[in-house]
Amino acid sequence: MFRLLPRCTLALAVLVALLVGTPAGAAPQGSPAAATTASPTQQRTEPLAGSWTGPLSTRGRYIVDATGARFKLKSANWGGAQGSWSGSGNIDDPAGHHAGEDSYNMPVGIDRVPISALLADFHRLGINSVRLPFSNALIHNTTPVPDAAVAANPQFRGSTPLQVYDAVVSALTGDGFAVVLNNHTNTARWCCGLDGNERWNTSQSTAQWVDDWAFMAGRYRDNKRVVGADLYNEVRRTIWDDPNWGNGDAHDWFTAAQQAADRILTTADPDLLVVIEGINWTGIPADGLPHGRPTLTPARTLSHTLLRSGKLVYSAHFYGFTGPHHSGAYGTGETHDPRYQDLSRADLYDALRQEAFFVTDEGRHCTAPLWVSEFGTGASETDPKARAWFADFTDYLAANDTDFGYWPLVGLRGPAGQGDDFALLRYDPEGRRSGILDGTDWRRAGLATLLNSPSRTGQIATPARWNMLDLDHTDAVRSLRVAARGDWDPGARKGVCPDGQRLIGLAHGGGRGLCTDAGAGDLRAAGDTYTVVRDERYVTHGDWAGGHTKLECPAGQFLTGYSVRGEATASALCVPAHSSPGTAGRTVWFDRGDNRPAGSPGGEFAYGRYKGQCGQGEYAAGIAFTGRVGASPAPAALLCRAL
């Protein structure tokens, strides 16, 4: 979410003041554009209903609808229900709210414009989807909204903010738009600095956060145009603590997102896309101290494997005034790191790829659609660097056929022209529209580039899937079929491949594994039979790992899981194949170095560890390890057999 004071400016300045003793400063504001009479050039008022079929899922780097056809998220953010109070001043005075816009904890503009007219304008823009923020506070707020807050929509009188949110969801989806629910804030306060909304669990427990997501996902379960759950917005540092990606503690965003995704997909709505944003900020924004925007970079070596395949979407936010190591602050709290708008076109594109766009590379465990769910700039922006950034950035999104979401969709316009200058559509107190649909808005060219550039369309074939298993801190049982059978090795950390995949790679220590369906598709026979192997009773084809203990699958079965105790190999999990697999095999040792196929298909799944991996034309039939004194008891070899 953007604000006229660039995001994080004041709050991060306060952070610096608290930690390094400098006073907080204010950021400059752009001059608002002059009011104009609406003169749309696109007359796209037809509903999108019937043009696509929900629910949505993913195939490699693409999102598809229920027919398997590409559905590109051409989105905008309709903010307001996440809260608009800035945290200072009178909460009942619009001046105390972001850009002078009191949203009353509802989507902005409902007080000024009938919702049917708003939706007609959304169609004119040419978008097909809306990211709809909400706060956890909204879920629990039982106070009806003031009549003045719904003056243009009197049918909402007496409703709570959540009931208004329900009605907005219904109206959007009824008019053909896809809706992605976005948990933007804990509190009903404007984001994103030191505001009580830094992490999913800053102002509440992780358990409450997960419960709230189960509630919201289940609430719209029967509406298949509610297509996604965007788990949390711009995870970032509190005063004292950084979020992390995989440390296994209370600040671990990787694990919390996995937990929420599992709950949503198993108990609330198995059809939803799960959108996981990278980490927005860590460290202290001061020269000489570590700081930066990790975004999605950790996913390159530690990615999510959901219980239901084809549901993961990764997300990232980019604004010109931020940068790879720049918070976006001006004045106090500003560092000397370059902003994105300071980078050359080539350097910008390199940064974007390194921070997020790598996830769209096919054939990796981190492969997923990338949704740039927030970016934007001001209608009155005059800085040549900022304007060039917007052109370069929209060119890059278009060239990479990237799903996108502009921030924000709707803003208000005060009598003196004040309001959110970034908004695509702005409405004055009488409901008259100005903004991007007018011929004078310089941003039109960039938006047109995104909306009208060539895109992949039609049916998308299902590519080979690759997923990693992470046993760093806990179980990674990613199979619904196995999970339903209970704990197959109590006391051990267990990893099981998603249904339809087979284990193809292991690390020497740490417990990481790699799964795929490449080269064979789903090998598993019908039914839920499996075999837990703890000794050498099924070794029937000779000593394929001399001096080592061999856990070999019974004939006709293949490896789908494993367990460890500490670093020590504990057991192997084998399941029957639907037809007789090959028996000719080879031993792949990896206790003294990597032993993977050329090109390392699947990607780096155990950074810093030796790894072994069967080829795409093989299946893993056994794990070997040693109990010798002084040697690591971790997996040391795989028995790989030709399919």
Side-chain angles (χ1 to χ4, degrees), residues 5 40 43 46 135 142 146 162 168 230 251 306 323 410 453 507 513 529 543 554 604 615 620 624:
L5 293 181
Q43 297 300 322
E46 74 282 0
S135 70
T142 60
L162 179 57
V168 169
D230 185 351
H251 302 162
L306 303 187
V410 178
S453 61
T529 302
D543 190 353
E604 175 56 78

Side-chain angles (χ1 to χ4, degrees), residues 504-571:
I504 200 169
L506 282 174
H508 184 59
R512 297 279 184 92
L514 183 68
C515 307
T516 192
D517 59 5
D522 188 352
L523 280 179
R524 185 164 180 167
D528 296 324
T529 302
Y530 60 73
T531 304
V532 180
V533 180
R534 295 185 174 88
D535 53 37
E536 295 189 337
R537 71 183 65 191
Y538 299 110
V539 177
T540 57
H541 293 276
D543 190 353
W544 50 270
H548 285 61
T549 301
K550 293 165 284 293
L551 306 181
E552 185 175 331
C553 291
Q557 299 192 25
F558 62 93
L559 276 170
T560 189
Y562 58 99
S563 68
V564 295
R565 286 180 170 82
E567 292 283 286
T569 309
S571 62

Side-chain angles (χ1 to χ4, degrees), residues 121-293:
D121 285 347
F122 299 172
H123 283 301
R124 290 186 179 96
L125 288 173
I127 62 174
N128 63 12
S129 45
V130 171
R131 182 176 183 246
L132 197 63
F134 68 88
S135 70
N136 296 96
L138 174 142
I139 297 173
H140 305 282
N141 184 357
T142 60
T143 302
V145 299
D147 287 352
V150 292
N153 290 277
Q155 70 273 25
F156 298 153
R157 286 178 179 170
S159 299
T160 66
L162 179 57
Q163 289 169 336
V164 175
Y165 190 92
D166 290 340
V168 169
V169 168
S170 180
L172 284 166
T173 57
D175 229 33
F177 293 100
V179 171
V180 179
L181 311 174
N182 164 236
N183 183 202
H184 212 80
T185 53
N186 294 180
T187 69
R189 178 178 167 186
W190 184 259
C191 164
C192 291
L194 295 175
D195 49 27
N197 300 307
E198 297 86 352
R199 293 192 307 270
W200 65 98
N201 60 355
T202 301
S203 300
Q204 61 192 1
S205 68
T206 295
Q208 181 63 61
W209 176 68
V210 173
D211 285 346
D212 283 353
W213 254 124
F215 171 81
M216 289 295 281
R219 190 173 185 85
Y220 308 108
R221 180 184 179 119
D222 295 332
N223 186 343
K224 295 310 173 187
R225 291 190 189 274
V226 176
V227 299
D230 185 351
L231 296 183
Y232 203 69
N233 183 75
E234 297 190 6
V235 173
R236 57 200 181 275
R237 182 186 174 95
T238 59
I239 292 177
W240 302 115
D241 297 302
D242 283 328
N244 65 80
W245 189 279
N247 287 359
D249 57 20
H251 302 162
D252 182 355
W253 172 229
F254 171 86
T255 298
Q258 186 85 58
Q259 182 180 349
D262 289 352
R263 177 79 174 276
I264 290 167
L265 293 175
T266 56
T267 68
D269 187 351
D271 288 330
L272 284 179
L273 297 174
V274 174
V275 182
I276 301 176
E277 188 181 336
I279 294 176
N280 192 62
W281 185 261
T282 60
I284 300 171
D287 290 335
L289 296 175
H291 57 267
R293 299 184 67 241

